[in-house]
Amino acid sequence: DSSQLVEVNNHVRTHHVDPSEEMKGIAEGKNLIIVTMESMQTFTINAEMNGETVTPFLNELTEDEDTIYFPNFYHQTGLGKTSDSEFLLENSLYPLGGSAVFFTHAGNTYNSMAEKLGNEGYATNVQHANTKSFWNRDMMYDSMGIDEFHDIESYEIGEGQAVNWGMKDIPFFEQSVAHMKEMPQPFYSRLITLTNHFPFTLEEEDKLIPEFDSNSGTLNRFFQTTRYLDEAVKELFDELKEQGLYENSVIILYGDHYGISENHNAAMAQYLGKEITPYESAQLQRVPFFVHIPGSGEGHINEKIGAQIDLRPTLLNLLGVDAGSDVQFGNDLFAPDHEEFVIFRDGRFVTENYVFAGNKCYENGTGEIMNFEFCEPHIDEAIAELEYSDNMIIKDLLRFYDEETGELIDSEK
Ligand code: GP9
Ligand code: MN
């Protein structure tokens, strides 16, 4: 009942920090374009593979005067993979531990970012060249109040335009921008890419760099598909400029989850030149997060430790939309008081000083094993945080919440 919501809400209020005044509204009224970059991992950014640059365009963005890049940003997905990352982004709730929440709780009441922006006059949609029922997206998008879903039916896949899971990212972006031209503004359009997906296959013409040379074909090809995705994002920027949509938009890029699992640790160790300890594995859960605001001059590298749970509060603040009374488990990453405590879906966590992984406490930065008691107090906090979030979902508690007033709806009524 609603008393359980009171408990969760108290927890969330205790951890709430006021969003940055400085960044508030700097993208107000602009279109919001978010790219969910399939399997893009931070270890490929500003990195070389046998002398080849893996992500030349994204590397440039890290230095760009209008781009804020977060190198210490983590994914928090579980079994629901891409869909979990969408769930985190839209709701600032953790996905579930034992199932894909898009499948098991699509009938819930949510207070998504899309719905909120819809109330602010934004046209909202997702664009993704796959069948609409994949990950139960059609159902979940309805529940999350997303106006429109441009699924595979919205695309024309010409000859040579498909590989691996389906439409290649470059023609996908091209046609998605064409859809944007038809949208009323301001719009919120989220584009989900597909080419950089396991098993990371490409046609010869799209292989812009050679494979890596480990005994894992998966890792070897991953560098090539990541390079292709980088190229596609570059073309997206060009296309937005050509179509006159660039200046009036803010462009957000984030990686959804890892592409290379622990099954490839030996090959990964060869590439990184170090053993993949549980500490290193945790650090490999970093995914890139870029905030690009044309003409803002706000560009910098932001070392803040954050995660996907922080996307909603961060983006709403940039757009100048007040989320103060929303039940969000994350916080604005630009907030001066943002707490550096990232909790993975499986209970691992990262703080400014420590990384808890493999049931060991490591020093963040050096990877040295520390006395367990340094991590101990945070272990229970992490479990509690995940439980509060799980309760929100499992008991569908947002149905007792009036998002406009921030007040509880009496369950007796
Ligand atoms: C499928 C795509 C990939 O539509 O989003 O999903 P994933 O397997 O990465 O969760
Ligand atoms: Mn994915």
Side-chain angles (χ1 to χ4, degrees), residues 253-266:
L253 314 170
Y254 81 92
D256 62 351
H257 51 71
Y258 67 77
I260 301 300
S261 73
E262 295 186 4
N263 297 335
H264 305 276
N265 273 357

Side-chain angles (χ1 to χ4, degrees), residues 113-159:
M113 181 164 76
E115 191 179 318
K116 205 160 174 83
L117 291 176
N119 294 338
E120 298 286 321
Y122 275 74
T124 65
N125 61 78
V126 172
Q127 309 203 56
H128 181 48
N130 199 354
T131 42
K132 65 179 181 199
S133 60
F134 198 93
W135 282 129
N136 205 29
R137 283 185 173 110
D138 50 348
M139 299 294 176
M140 193 56 156
Y141 288 176
D142 273 349
S143 291
M144 296 199 301
I146 295 168
D147 298 337
E148 229 183 325
F149 182 13
H150 289 285
D151 69 343
I152 192 152
E153 308 281 333
S154 302
Y155 294 86
E156 267 180 51
I157 306 177
E159 208 180 304

Side-chain angles (χ1 to χ4, degrees), residues 36-40 77 80-83 85-86 128 135 137 165 192-194 196-198 255-259:
T36 297
M37 297 187 293
E38 178 58 45
S39 300
M40 179 64 85
T77 64
K81 305 300 294 285
T82 309
S83 67
S85 87
E86 299 179 59
H128 181 48
W135 282 129
R137 283 185 173 110
W165 274 52
I192 307 174
T193 72
L194 204 50
N196 190 32
H197 193 289
F198 180 84
D256 62 351
H257 51 71
Y258 67 77

